[in-house]
Amino acid sequence: QVQLVESGGGLVQPGGSLRLSCAASGTVFSISIMRWYRQAPGKQRELVAAIRSGGRLNYGDSGKDRFTISRDNAKNTVYLQMNSLKPEDTAVYYCNAEGVTGRYWGQGTLVTVSS
């Protein structure tokens, strides 16, 4: 089993930045890929970014150009650096981990971009 805890969400003005964190615990050695998703009100959940255990990165359309995914293996933590935030980035951001033992989700952290 893997447990995921997100943090770092909050209210930010347009043009601002936030860094989200996702701390993993449990059978972290089984994780092969970690992803960030987001879900805006009334919309489907969408992929923001992904990082594989080998370091390969992938970005969804919502994460290109302004967002950067990274990880700290020593802390079992994945980050999402979000810059130049726009009101349309407002959503609940979820961390996801996938590996041989299954697929896991965090509880989500709310990001609100508003003046």
Side-chain angles (χ1 to χ4, degrees):
Q1 294 291 321
V2 174
Q3 296 78 42
L4 303 172
V5 179
E6 301 102 330
S7 61
L11 175 64
V12 63
Q13 292 187 342
S17 298
L18 278 178
R19 190 178 77 158
L20 306 183
S21 300
C22 173
S25 60
T27 55
V28 295
F29 60 86
S30 70
I31 297 173
S32 58
I33 184 170
M34 293 192 71
R35 304 178 180 96
W36 284 100
Y37 285 84
R38 72 183 187 184
Q39 188 166 18
K43 295 187 177 181
Q44 289 188 331
R45 194 170 295 189
E46 61 178 353
L47 176 68
V48 178
I51 184 166
R52 295 184 178 273
S53 56
R56 180 178 177 181
L57 308 180
N58 292 99
Y59 290 92
D61 289 340
S62 60
K64 291 179 181 177
D65 301 325
R66 297 180 293 120
F67 295 177
T68 303
I69 189 170
S70 62
R71 68 183 183 196
D72 183 332
N73 290 331
K75 296 181 179 179
N76 294 321
T77 299
V78 172
Y79 303 98
L80 184 69
Q81 177 68 43
M82 305 187 294
N83 298 325
S84 302
L85 284 162
K86 304 175 182 180
E88 50 263 44
D89 294 317
T90 295
V92 178
Y93 285 72
Y94 296 93
C95 181
N96 164 272
E98 184 173 347
V100 295
T101 60
R103 200 170 187 188
Y104 306 92
W105 293 91
Q107 82 287 352
T109 185
L110 177 63
V111 172
T112 303
V113 184
S114 175
S115 55

